[in-house]
Amino acid sequence: MILLAALGGCRTTAGKKGGDATEDGTAATVQNSPPAPPLTLPVGLVHHVDEPARFVLIRSSKGLKIEPETILTIHGDQGETVARVKVSPARKESFLTADFLDGLPRKGQQVTMEYQKAPLAGSATPAIPDPSDPNAVQVLE
């Protein structure tokens, strides 16, 4: 008996916080939460700048698997963005090559990458099943 009262209380609380039904008993729309902001990951340091050929060599101590075409940001001494570069396919051991997109990098400047976490499998599906869906879970009271 106590268990049923506790479960009933949970259901009432869930309904007040945007649960599965509105006041008139119809299903409420589930809003997906916005994606997490990208993480800024350190990649390495600018090892060499070839201004005439417009590319840089970046020494990475992390051994990150950075795909060609990835955009990297190069930061000045005060942390400000001084250049953006695009990773090229050429690499050797801990060195990446990247072509200038904008700005002018200098040797020794820090290189970072914006990393966006992939959504979890199944996270695109609503947390609350649609009652009109024949495959939805049915709760017996």
Side-chain angles (χ1 to χ4, degrees), residues 7 51 108 124:
L7 290 175
E51 286 185 51

Side-chain angles (χ1 to χ4, degrees), residues 18-36:
D20 59 338
T22 59
E23 293 273 331
D24 62 0
T26 60
T29 305
V30 176
Q31 298 291 329
N32 289 336
S33 60

Side-chain angles (χ1 to χ4, degrees), residues 43-106:
V43 171
L45 297 175
V46 175
H47 181 74
H48 174 75
V49 178
D50 189 329
E51 286 185 51
R54 299 194 44 82
F55 78 90
V56 295
L57 286 178
I58 300 165
R59 174 175 266 171
S60 176
S61 60
K62 300 258 182 206
L64 295 172
K65 303 284 185 197
I66 300 175
E67 295 295 321
E69 304 294 314
T70 301
I71 306 298
L72 303 176
T73 305
I74 300 176
H75 302 276
D77 296 335
Q78 305 301 318
E80 74 281 9
T81 298
V82 295
R84 290 182 326 120
V85 295
K86 181 167 56 170
V87 176
S88 68
R91 62 186 69 207
K92 184 164 183 165
E93 298 173 8
S94 64
F95 289 97
L96 301 169
T97 58
D99 300 313
F100 291 13
L101 291 177
D102 56 55
L104 183 60
R106 298 281 178 227

